[in-house]
Amino acid sequence: INPVLSRLPPPSVGTSISVAAPGAPHCPLCASLCRKMQLRLLLLLLLCEAQGHAAPRPNFVLLMADDLGIGDPGCYGNTTLRTPNIDRLAAEGVKLTQHLAASPLCTPSRAAFMTGRYPIRSGNPQSFIGVFIFSASSGGLPTSEITFAKLLKNQGYSTALIGKWHLGTNCHNKTDFCHHPLSHGFDYFHGIPVTNLRDCKPGEGSVFTRGIRVLVFIPLQIIAITLLTLAVLKCLGLLHVPPVVFFCLLCLAAMILGLLLCFLHYFRPLNCFLMRNHEITQQPLSYDSLTQRLTADAAQFIRRNAGTPFLLLLSYLHVHTALFSSPDFAGHSQHGAYGDAAEELDWSVGQILNVLDELKLANNTLVYFTSDQGAHVEEVTTKGEVHGGSNGIYKGGKANNWEGGIRIPGILRWPGVIQAGLVIDEPTSNMDIFPTVAKLAGSPLPEDRIIDGHDLMPLLQGKTQHSDHEFLFHYCNFYLNAVALHAFFFTPKFSPEGANGCFSTHVCFCHGHFVSRHHPPLLFDVAKDPGERTPLSPATEPRFREILAVMQQAADRHAETLQAVPNQLSLGNVLWKPWLQMCCSSSGLSCQCDRENQAKGASR
């Protein structure tokens, strides 16, 4: 129809168009009706043509590092770690300099990222343990939560998660997969359901060292002292001790030792494994060329779906300990094992960008790079090797809400849509990705719940100069810890005194004698004092009490929006449950298999 219309001569100004049958008498009413019909037809055709030329929906490639500090990439100021591909992303896109994680720990931060909501709304706050450490835990991301993957799948997108999940697997039995990525909108999953731990790599130590000392060594010492005391008293004839007492104490000691040996022997195969969709493909997981394998699978997913809209979340195991890297990167950086892993991570980013260029998809793909929280500064081995990253000029790190724990890299690239080389110094959150992705994909946001993130596109495209976030709220356990930017109701006690972390406990806790409470709250001007060294006071800030009052009012309004939900990170939900344990073999707890090659051929 459009070519026909284009050949019609336009009517001259003031001339009406009328259509009448040959020989029919002129009818003013008929002419008016015909004009209205023609105008409606013309508007309809113009609308159809506009829709036909509408910009196609973009693809999304979301790249998330694990424990990468904002001081690690070159584009954020590091001059000794080589990250040319991450730097290239920043040069070709937008770099966010006040990009904040909703939580300084993996599980709650990822819950917020996936749902666009504070983790306390889904029952995933930073609790005493704070993360899932067993594959047979019953907690996770509730099925009632809506992820951006679920929204995009409903819009016809192909969706994949490759790498780390860390938001639970099963609820009631080992095959219900209620928390599994495939139950949250992903068509394809290849990766680890829990997290990478030192215990997963032989020779790298254990994250349970402190717990073993408290639960095993101290009880054994008490038993040994008790046995020795009773034996001496009996030998001196001062106390009659029946032999059964010695037997029971020895049995108790043997049982504690036996449980410790079983835990150390079975933890790795039972909790460190790879899955493809619902099938375990490698148990325990092998670190040999692991980044290369996951990167190749991500590239294959892009190639398979090059002709349709897709969402890829590539969630790296780097640079969480246990650190690992392939021979091409091992020993090649200036920062030991951590630098090797970080540079291999950057290589993987480059491989994904190259695939997008090769398939000519770069101009229609929004790429986002970030980390789930700040670097883990307490990661230092018994030999003194630093296995944690850099948070630059910022205080603290992973597991605390000082700026170093929550300020993360944030880079977005979409050639032709987002201005290249732009730097935005406005507060943004990893929760903002949810509404941004949903809107670009044409999906309405859920109306039955509060979405705490905001669409980033107006800020990225220069349509607004200021963030929609007035304040951001950060929790420790179920308690409001800090209001950014930036007041603290309580802060962790760093140890040893004067350190930049909680080195004696490996992470900072947020209860009891581990914290200092502040009345009034500590208030910092992060723009002038990014290291949060000197709190403001009424003497240095005339509006001190006014600012705190406004923050408190905002916190009170926020608290009114919270609803009681089950705590997914409660002790009962975090502990190991044998009936939830997944195993790739039926021979007891041996759980040994390697089906990666077979599964690779059958992957979607």
Side-chain angles (χ1 to χ4, degrees):
I1 301 175
N2 285 341
V4 175
L5 281 179
S6 66
R7 291 198 295 269
L8 290 176
S12 59
V13 178
T15 303
S16 63
I17 301 177
S18 62
V19 179
H26 178 73
C27 174
L29 179 61
C30 293
S32 176
L33 290 173
C34 286
R35 283 197 300 272
K36 291 180 179 179
M37 291 176 64
Q38 286 177 329
L39 286 172
R40 290 174 181 174
L41 178 61
L42 182 60
L43 288 172
L44 179 63
L45 292 173
L46 290 174
L47 178 62
C48 291
E49 185 172 356
Q51 290 178 340
H53 290 284
R57 294 177 298 170
N59 306 307
F60 301 97
V61 174
L62 312 179
L63 308 170
M64 176 173 280
D66 196 353
D67 290 3
L68 185 77
I70 194 170
D72 286 327
C75 55
Y76 282 94
N78 196 309
T79 58
T80 53
L81 260 180
R82 294 170 295 187
T83 57
N85 296 295
I86 298 173
D87 300 344
R88 170 191 164 192
L89 262 184
E92 297 175 355
V94 172
K95 181 176 70 173
L96 305 174
T97 59
Q98 291 191 54
H99 197 46
L100 303 180
S103 173
L105 274 178
C106 303
T107 295
S109 176
R110 291 164 186 268
F113 169 68
M114 294 296 304
T115 64
R117 289 153 50 85
Y118 288 112
I120 195 170
R121 299 193 191 279
S122 61
N124 281 285
Q126 182 182 342
S127 65
F128 176 73
I129 297 177
V131 297
F132 299 109
I133 52 178
F134 299 112
S135 65
S137 298
S138 57
L141 189 63
T143 54
S144 58
E145 289 297 320
I146 298 175
T147 66
F148 53 70
K150 191 173 292 185
L151 292 181
L152 266 63
K153 183 175 181 178
N154 291 338
Q155 294 297 314
Y157 275 71
S158 297
T159 58
L161 167 61
I162 295 176
K164 172 178 170 177
W165 172 236
H166 211 184
L167 289 172
T169 308
N170 298 307
C171 291
H172 306 292
N173 61 68
K174 60 183 178 181
T175 58
D176 64 30
F177 298 110
C178 64
H179 301 308
H180 191 277
L182 268 60
S183 299
H184 281 292
F186 290 101
D187 298 317
Y188 177 66
F189 170 61
H190 180 203
I192 58 174
V194 194
T195 187
N196 177 31
L197 293 171
R198 287 187 176 276
D199 303 75
C200 295
K201 189 178 180 185
E204 291 296 312
S206 173
V207 299
F208 301 102
T209 302
R210 186 169 181 268
I212 291 172
R213 184 168 63 247
V214 172
L215 298 176
V216 177
F217 292 156
I218 292 178
L220 286 176
Q221 288 174 352
I222 293 173
I223 292 173
I225 293 172
T226 302
L227 281 169
L228 182 61
T229 302
L230 291 176
V232 170
L233 291 174
K234 183 176 182 180
C235 289
L236 295 175
L238 299 176
L239 183 67
H240 174 67
V241 184
V244 68
V245 173
F246 292 99
F247 177 77
C248 290
L249 288 172
L250 289 171
C251 285
L252 180 59
M255 183 182 71
I256 293 174
L257 279 174
L259 289 174
L260 173 62
L261 293 175
C262 286
F263 177 82
L264 295 176
H265 178 75
Y266 286 112
F267 180 87
R268 180 172 171 247
L270 295 184
N271 297 281
C272 310
F273 53 82
L274 282 175
M275 298 184 73
R276 281 187 195 264
N277 298 328
H278 291 148
E279 180 188 3
I280 295 176
T281 56
Q282 193 174 63
Q283 191 172 18
L285 71 86
S286 168
Y287 288 95
D288 292 341
S289 302
L290 180 56
T291 302
Q292 284 72 15
R293 285 183 277 149
L294 296 177
T295 302
D297 201 17
Q300 289 173 7
F301 172 81
I302 294 174
R303 294 181 190 280
R304 289 195 302 270
N305 296 279
T308 59
F310 64 82
L311 162 72
L312 168 64
L313 172 54
L314 180 50
S315 178
Y316 291 100
L317 279 66
H318 286 320
V319 284
H320 195 295
T321 51
L323 297 176
F324 65 95
S325 56
S326 64
D328 290 340
F329 295 91
H332 290 181
S333 78
Q334 298 182 38
H335 293 275
Y338 183 88
D340 299 342
E343 293 185 1
E344 185 172 67
L345 159 69
D346 180 80
W347 166 85
S348 175
V349 172
Q351 295 300 299
I352 300 303
L353 298 182
N354 291 343
V355 171
L356 294 175
D357 290 339
E358 175 193 336
L359 300 176
K360 302 188 185 306
L361 295 174
N363 290 343
N364 193 39
T365 301
L366 176 64
V367 179
Y368 169 67
F369 177 83
T370 191
S371 178
D372 54 356
Q373 67 266 321
H376 193 174
V377 296
E378 294 94 346
E379 276 288 6
V380 180
T381 69
T382 55
K383 298 178 181 178
E385 299 172 354
V386 176
H387 280 193
S390 168
N391 294 314
I393 61 175
Y394 302 107
K395 187 176 184 177
K398 178 179 179 176
N400 62 74
N401 284 309
W402 289 108
E403 202 72 9
I406 57 176
R407 190 175 290 224
I408 53 178
I411 302 171
L412 296 102
R413 188 195 76 171
W414 187 0
V417 179
I418 297 176
Q419 180 182 338
L422 191 63
V423 177
I424 295 179
D425 190 31
E426 284 289 309
T428 57
S429 169
N430 63 350
M431 296 184 293
D432 296 337
I433 298 305
F434 180 95
T436 303
V437 165
K439 186 172 182 179
L440 290 173
S443 172
L445 293 178
E447 297 180 353
D448 62 342
R449 64 199 62 209
I450 293 174
I451 302 298
D452 298 299
H454 295 287
D455 180 12
L456 285 173
M457 290 307 294
L459 189 63
L460 298 177
Q461 294 182 300
K463 296 178 180 178
T464 181
Q465 301 301 314
H466 300 288
S467 167
D468 287 334
H469 291 289
E470 182 182 15
F471 298 107
L472 288 162
F473 306 98
H474 294 273
Y475 284 80
C476 196
N477 290 347
F478 277 99
Y479 305 107
L480 183 60
N481 177 203
V483 179
L485 301 158
H486 213 177
F488 288 92
F489 298 102
F490 59 90
T491 53
K493 294 179 180 178
F494 286 169
S495 58
E497 189 174 349
N500 187 39
C502 303
F503 288 86
S504 61
T505 54
H506 193 62
V507 293
C508 293
F509 297 119
C510 46
H511 61 276
H513 68 278
F514 294 105
V515 301
S516 299
R517 302 190 179 277
H518 307 289
H519 305 284
L522 291 183
L523 180 64
F524 295 91
D525 184 348
V526 180
K528 297 178 180 178
D529 180 22
E532 297 170 300
R533 307 298 178 189
T534 308
L536 300 175
S537 68
T540 59
E541 174 51 65
R543 300 174 301 161
F544 179 81
R545 300 197 183 281
E546 178 186 349
I547 293 171
L548 287 182
V550 172
M551 284 187 171
Q552 186 61 58
Q553 291 169 6
D556 292 341
R557 290 194 301 270
H558 163 71
E560 291 173 358
T561 69
L562 301 178
Q563 298 178 347
V565 294
N567 182 3
Q568 298 296 323
L569 286 164
S570 67
L571 188 61
N573 279 329
V574 169
L575 287 179
W576 179 70
K577 297 177 175 62
W579 57 92
L580 298 182
Q581 183 61 58
M582 294 180 292
C583 186
C584 64
S585 64
S586 56
S587 54
L589 295 177
S590 62
C591 298
Q592 302 278 337
C593 68
D594 190 351
R595 304 169 185 158
E596 272 286 280
N597 291 331
Q598 298 97 312
K600 180 179 178 180
S603 65
R604 296 171 57 185

